[in-house]
Amino acid sequence: VAESAGVAAQGARRFDEADRALGDALDRYRAIGERRRTAWLLGTLGQCAFQSARYDRADSLYQLALAARRALPDLRMSGASLNALGSTNYLRGRYAEARGYFEAARAVREQTGERAALGQTLNFLGLALNSMGQSDSARIAFDQSLEIAVSQGDSARALTAMSNLHSVLVSSGDFAAAEALAARAIPLARSLNDAASLRTLHHN
């Protein structure tokens, strides 16, 4: 009941209320030795902190979640924690640390066969690499993310990868490739009514 109340409060973005309810559930699960729900709740509490931009707290909770999930062991949940730690460090400007977590998440997701999740990780890895000035490596990661999204018919994630790849192509001076990619991405952005991506593509 406490867990359900916490998840509902999180969904309504009442994060303080969610923290209390989820924390109560966590204490109860720990008391009865329920390791899987404990591991899951640590990640959910980290997600609450992340969504409310409390990145230091999110990092601490995601670290605890990763340790608990590895101890089970549960590769899928561990991959999610690694990806979350990458995102947290990326938003804190710790690009090298973010890269390490994303590469670890990629290895896990390649092992588990989670194609959609792998594509998401590759996109984030590209962002981290580009922020470190490694545009060639970023381009490879975005290309791989785009290939997965297209193979799965995921237009929204394909557009995200295209937009990020387009920015790298423009900044690296590969204008012919950038124009060719824009010819694919702009109509897709219009069909999805994605105004933000359309603005970015037109600006670039």
Side-chain angles (χ1 to χ4, degrees), residues 112-126:
T112 60
E114 297 171 272
R115 293 286 289 168
L118 175 60
Q120 183 185 41
T121 294
L122 286 165
N123 184 66
F124 287 136
L125 175 60

Side-chain angles (χ1 to χ4, degrees), residues 19 169 171-172:
D19 277 344
L169 292 172
S171 63
S172 60

Side-chain angles (χ1 to χ4, degrees), residues 4-15 18 48 51:
S4 297
V7 170
Q10 180 190 9
R13 303 189 68 81
R14 299 192 302 270
F15 296 119
C48 281
Q51 289 173 327

